[in-house]
Amino acid sequence: MANTKAQIRKDTPETVKKVSPLKSRLYQYFRLSASLLFISLAARWAALFPLVGTKFLPGGIHEFLCYLMLYAGLFEIVWTLAFRGLKKTLFSRTFLKDVNFLYFVANLHFYDDYEHALVLKSICYSSFIVALGVSQAYCHWCKLFKGSGRKRKTLLSMTDTFATLPVLYLSEFYLLLLNVQMPNFHSFPWLETLNKVVLVVFIPICLHALKKEVALW
């Protein structure tokens, strides 16, 4: 009985750690801004692609893509650490996604010649941008108000899980594969080795992440 009462007192609202209004507003601002920026990414692609095709698309969108992935990846790591702590963050799929964002930018930034990078002229670059924009806009919007984290079973969530995410994973894998096959001036021997290791583990990790996502249904 004593243990039961102690548990009740432990779970009462007075004992739950409250989040300050400022912290809550900043968190919501990040989620809202990230969602709108990813929508802007998809909209920018929709405006540019019919005009310039795959050949000149990187010149009009790649810099924006890289800065957006850096913004979303870094700040999501910060907020995940703030709410979940170090241990839970390191073993979360959110952290894995954000590290992947940072790796993608570090590996495929082509900062001085992205207009001419052959890797970015692939049609998979377009499918990656569209899938990333749609998926992450939906993801950040769903997390705008921090809740239990349970996924609502809607048509949008079904489309995201069974269509958008597989396209995103396959598109990124193909871009990373092209990056290994095509020589460029931004690589180093240790980075080339790392890229090959990433290619080996990329699909199994993506399948595991997708399996976890499907399990929420």
Side-chain angles (χ1 to χ4, degrees), residues 3 5 7 12 43 52 66-67 76 81-82 86 91-92 94 127 130 135 138 158-159 176 184-185 192 200 203 213 215:
N3 290 337
K5 290 181 178 179
Q7 184 65 36
T12 55
V52 300
C66 289
Y67 281 122
E76 191 167 40
L81 285 169
L86 179 61
F91 292 96
S92 66
T94 299
S127 61
V130 174
S135 176
Y138 176 72
M158 182 177 69
T159 303
L176 295 176
N184 63 77
F185 301 103
E192 292 177 0
V200 172
I203 293 298
E213 197 73 18

Side-chain angles (χ1 to χ4, degrees), residues 77-91:
I77 289 175
V78 170
W79 283 114
T80 307
L81 285 169
F83 283 112
R84 303 186 65 181
L86 179 61
K87 185 176 180 180
K88 289 185 178 180
T89 297
L90 292 177
F91 292 96

Side-chain angles (χ1 to χ4, degrees), residues 72 103 105 205:
Y103 168 77
V105 174
I205 291 177

Side-chain angles (χ1 to χ4, degrees), residues 57-112:
L57 179 66
I61 203 171
H62 191 65
E63 190 172 2
F64 178 62
L65 170 68
C66 289
Y67 281 122
L68 176 54
M69 293 180 76
L70 283 175
Y71 169 72
L74 288 174
F75 278 94
E76 191 167 40
I77 289 175
V78 170
W79 283 114
T80 307
L81 285 169
F83 283 112
R84 303 186 65 181
L86 179 61
K87 185 176 180 180
K88 289 185 178 180
T89 297
L90 292 177
F91 292 96
S92 66
R93 285 180 294 143
T94 299
F95 181 73
L96 181 64
K97 177 195 73 174
D98 294 329
V99 169
N100 178 53
F101 280 7
L102 301 181
Y103 168 77
F104 182 92
V105 174
N107 206 23
L108 296 173
H109 56 80
F110 300 114
Y111 67 92
D112 56 351

Side-chain angles (χ1 to χ4, degrees), residues 10 32 38 64 84 107 116-117 122 136 146 193 195 203:
K10 182 180 179 181
L32 181 60
F38 277 109
F64 178 62
R84 303 186 65 181
N107 206 23
H116 309 291
S122 167
Q136 289 306 297
K146 191 175 184 300
T193 302
N195 292 340
I203 293 298

Side-chain angles (χ1 to χ4, degrees), residues 38-55:
F38 277 109
I39 291 174
S40 300
L41 176 69
R44 190 167 187 167
W45 174 88
L48 287 173
F49 187 77
L51 299 175
V52 300
T54 59
K55 186 175 182 180

